[in-house]
Structures are given as structure tokens and as C-alpha cells.
Amino acid sequence: MFFTNNSPDQNWRRTMFSTESSPNQNWSGTIFTNNVYGDDDDIVRSFAQRFGVSAKDPPIMYTLSCSLEELYQGATKRVKITRQVAGRSGLITRKIEEIQTIDTKPGWKKGTKITFEEKGNKRPNVTPADVVFIVDEKPHSEFTRDGNDLIVTRTISVTEAFTGYTVHLKTLNGRNLTLPINDVIHPNYQKVVRNEGMPILGDPTKRGILKIKFDIRFPTRVNAEQKAGIRRLFGP
């Protein structure tokens, strides 16, 4: 097994599936099956077979859905692949189920590829296809990922924007952050917290940044007394 950290080739065949697991906890299994009858590449394989050359089936692509917690801390995911093994005549004789284990690494990104070589269907004179899993990121209720950075948006009132606001945040590995903000929070303001983003692949001691953005909730109505108070506070 090996992995690469690049975007998937959209021309390859892809089969979607879902799986659930908790970081570094219980495994989950998902069954995959391969089509033994092939596709447009059969012309090339037939030519190779006629001249005694062992052709290879094209890669079989699967999507490996991961939560941000799994990509932050790492997790163990188990999948069950069912492949077909044909006899010399080319007829299907039996099915084989294999369990493959994938250990996600802290910092993996969407598009990372994990390849199990020649784990596809077996047929005469054809080298089995590689089975490739492509990481996809599940949406998160709190965080949005931007490369190695994490983004959080808080909705606050105008009063909080002027008088101060404290951000209470639970990180992807379960820590509680308390971040008091005493600055005036304007529409383009953002709080940057160093080393609280995603782990950087290859150097887990380093992390990206955490950006806290704000959506200021303005009142829909202001009475005359309130308007007068605002003018006295800010001037003409």
C-alpha cells in the first residue's frame, strides 16, 4: 500500500461509498465489488491476450470519506473488498473477501490517494487492477478547512462588536479554547491564532493557523432616542 497527496484524475472510474469510524478507535467495514466484465479497455486487453502479453486493468477508484477529526488526529479505517476470481476459461469461479486497513495520517487532505496494488478482479492473462482510495472531507458543523488553516465564523451583536466578545471553542482534538477579544470588531475583522490549524503532513509538530471571522448582526430598527445616543457617542 502507498499513498499520494494529489487531486484525483476525473477520467478514472470511481465508485462512491460511505464509512464511519472514530479517530484511533473502533474500525468500520464497507463492502466493495468490482465488475469482472470490464469496459472500453477490453479492446486493448484482447489485443494483449492474443499476442501473449499480460495487460492490466485500469485502476478502480473509491472515495474514502473522512471527518476533519480523523484528518486532524489520524484514524484507523477498515474496508472489506469483494473481488472475483475467474478460472482459465474466463468464467467466474469464486469470490474472495479481503479486509484492507487504512491508517489516515494527521494532515491528509482531500485528494490524497491510497493505493493497494493488484487488488482488483483476477482474470486469465490480465494483471489485476490497482484499488485506489481517494480521501474526501466530510463537512464539519464548526470548522471549514482552507489548506492547512481552519476557519470559524461567529455571529455577534453590534453591542458585542463594540464592547468586546469572548470566543469559546472546542478544537478537533477535544481541547477547550477561550479567546477574549477586546478590539472593536468591524466587518472585515478576523482573529488569527497561530498553530491551531490542521497538522502539516510530514511535520506533525507544526500546524496551520486558526482564523475566527465574525458576522455582525445589526438591528433592523433604531428608535429616535437610540439614534440620538449613537450621535452623541460617535459625533456627526
Side-chain angles (χ1 to χ4, degrees), residues 1-118:
M1 180 190 76
F2 61 90
F3 77 90
T4 57
N5 194 21
N6 59 325
S7 299
D9 186 340
Q10 300 298 325
N11 293 323
W12 283 341
R13 290 178 291 123
R14 179 182 302 176
T15 303
M16 304 296 290
F17 71 94
S18 62
T19 181
E20 296 180 359
S21 65
S22 300
N24 298 321
Q25 295 181 1
N26 294 331
W27 291 332
S28 64
T30 304
I31 299 176
F32 306 94
T33 58
N34 302 323
N35 178 11
V36 74
Y37 298 107
D39 51 22
D40 294 339
D41 295 306
D42 283 338
I43 297 175
V44 175
R45 289 193 289 271
S46 296
F47 179 85
Q49 291 170 12
R50 177 174 297 182
F51 290 93
V53 179
S54 179
K56 185 172 184 176
D57 280 330
I60 300 169
M61 316 299 286
Y62 296 109
T63 297
L64 184 69
S65 296
C66 299
S67 67
L68 277 182
E69 286 85 355
E70 291 171 332
L71 298 177
Y72 186 94
Q73 301 181 81
T76 297
K77 303 173 81 71
R78 265 188 9 166
V79 292
K80 181 187 290 184
I81 298 175
T82 300
R83 59 176 180 161
Q84 299 170 342
V85 178
R88 294 189 178 184
S89 63
L91 298 177
I92 299 173
T93 56
R94 59 197 174 102
K95 292 183 179 180
I96 296 177
E97 292 184 349
E98 295 182 358
I99 301 296
Q100 302 295 341
T101 300
I102 299 175
D103 293 318
T104 66
K105 306 300 181 185
W108 273 10
K109 298 178 180 179
K110 179 178 181 179
T112 298
K113 295 179 182 178
I114 307 96
T115 301
F116 294 92
E117 295 183 315
E118 300 182 8

